[in-house]
Amino acid sequence: PFLRNPVSVPDVDVLITESTYGDRNHPSRENIMGRIKDYIGFISQHKSKLIIPAFSVGRTQQILYVLNELVEHQVIPPIPVYVDSPLSQKATEIHRNHIECFNEKTQALLRSGDDPFRFPGLRFTASVDDSKKLNDAKGPMIIISASGMCEGGRIQHHLANAISDPLNIILIAGFQAENTLGRQIVDGKPVVRIFGEEHELRATVFTINGLSAHADSTGLTQFASSLGSSVKQAFCVHGEPAYCEAHKKSLEGIGIPQVNIPVTGQLFENV
């Protein structure tokens, strides 16, 4: 919601395109905002925790942007929001210092002194001790921590502490690859292993793929279409087989003559 739109490139012969969400479209922004409002309302009522695994670059800033909007419009009650990742804090500062990457609306906000990545109640925790204190802290609170697929970092500590409480919410804010802890949580595996110990998954799990930085099926196809008729061949990568296949059909539907789903070791000549 804050970055500039992608720019079409002229005279493209070969397109290599991701396919992460090649088979689906993201929910509307209104839907996303309404769902987050409901989740925060739930943890406010039950004095529990909303745990959000998020990559430090891009995803964390997008979540902060959404929360800032909800806070500024007084849609949600003021509750503590912790970004528990030193890298996320540094990445957020870098985002703030490069307004040339933002769309006009976000640039205008920053120039007016309104920081879209900060709001009352937001705190960044840098030290390990401060991070550990969150385990014993009482809710309501939101904890945003890396990594995005729950495969490492401080998020694993927060999940181990919160995952077995049915009053807590785990919000998965993007695609989870096969065999990751994040994917096991999305799939509702009854028991997950964290730091070698088994934990019952009793917390409520929600997924909002619209918070992902990856474009959805319509966005991917529209970008490919904007390149014009010069594209003679396309390669669908960065997606599970079913998603690549769906995106392949979409690209064929807009008239790209040859669309490939390459596999390891496959060789293409005269590309």
Side-chain angles (χ1 to χ4, degrees):
F2 55 85
L3 293 178
R4 293 164 57 186
N5 290 329
V7 178
S8 298
V9 181
D11 302 321
V12 173
D13 301 295
V14 178
L15 170 66
I16 300 175
T17 171
E18 66 144 310
S19 310
T20 309
Y21 293 112
D23 70 330
R24 71 193 73 177
N25 287 321
H26 295 324
S28 67
R29 184 162 177 78
E30 291 74 19
N31 177 280
I32 292 171
M33 303 287 274
R35 289 167 65 185
I36 293 177
K37 173 193 171 215
D38 290 343
Y39 305 155
I40 293 173
F42 179 89
I43 65 165
S44 297
Q45 179 182 353
H46 295 281
K47 295 181 171 51
S48 52
K49 297 179 180 180
L50 172 59
I51 309 294
I52 309 178
F55 293 112
S56 295
V57 180
R59 185 75 48 76
T60 294
Q61 291 74 37
Q62 188 166 3
I63 294 169
L64 291 179
Y65 189 95
V66 169
L67 292 175
N68 173 74
E69 193 168 328
L70 291 171
V71 169
E72 286 205 342
H73 289 86
Q74 299 180 342
V75 175
I76 59 175
I79 65 171
V81 177
Y82 295 94
V83 176
D84 187 26
S85 166
L87 180 57
S88 295
Q89 181 174 5
K90 293 176 182 177
T92 302
E93 292 298 328
I94 292 171
H95 272 70
R96 191 181 291 109
N97 292 333
H98 287 275
I99 66 171
E100 72 277 5
C101 298
F102 299 147
N103 56 31
E104 291 182 4
K105 175 184 175 182
T106 307
Q107 288 189 26
L109 283 174
L110 285 164
R111 290 194 178 103
S112 71
D114 185 359
D115 189 337
F117 306 115
R118 284 192 179 275
F119 47 87
L122 174 64
R123 306 169 197 177
F124 289 87
T125 56
S127 72
V128 173
D129 286 341
D130 286 341
S131 177
K132 288 179 178 179
K133 289 176 183 177
L134 296 179
N135 290 330
D136 298 322
K138 303 299 181 183
M141 68 173 63
I142 300 172
I143 300 175
I144 305 165
S145 187
S147 71
M149 293 189 188
C150 312
E151 283 294 284
R154 295 182 179 180
I155 189 60
Q156 291 196 332
H157 294 275
H158 298 303
L159 289 172
N161 180 68
I163 201 167
S164 296
D165 187 339
L167 294 180
N168 291 329
I169 293 176
I170 300 171
L171 175 57
I172 302 297
F175 179 76
Q176 304 295 305
E178 277 191 287
N179 302 316
T180 62
L181 175 58
R183 184 62 166 267
Q184 293 176 40
I185 292 171
V186 168
D187 289 343
K189 190 174 180 181
V191 177
V192 297
R193 187 175 289 274
I194 306 174
F195 299 126
E197 296 183 357
E198 292 186 340
H199 297 266
E200 285 189 69
L201 175 52
R202 300 182 65 208
T204 304
V205 179
F206 293 108
T207 301
I208 300 183
N209 288 324
L211 289 171
S212 172
H214 296 280
D216 60 12
S217 176
T218 297
L220 291 170
T221 306
Q222 286 179 343
F223 178 76
S225 182
S226 73
L227 301 177
S229 59
S230 64
V231 181
K232 305 305 179 187
Q233 191 168 182
F235 293 87
C236 297
V237 299
H238 200 284
E240 294 186 6
Y243 308 158
C244 288
E245 188 62 42
H247 191 34
K248 176 177 184 291
K249 291 178 180 177
S250 296
L251 296 180
E252 289 172 341
I254 61 172
I256 296 180
Q258 184 177 350
V259 184
N260 310 284
I261 303 175
V263 296
T264 302
Q266 190 172 5
L267 178 65
F268 293 87
E269 297 182 355
N270 300 319
V271 174

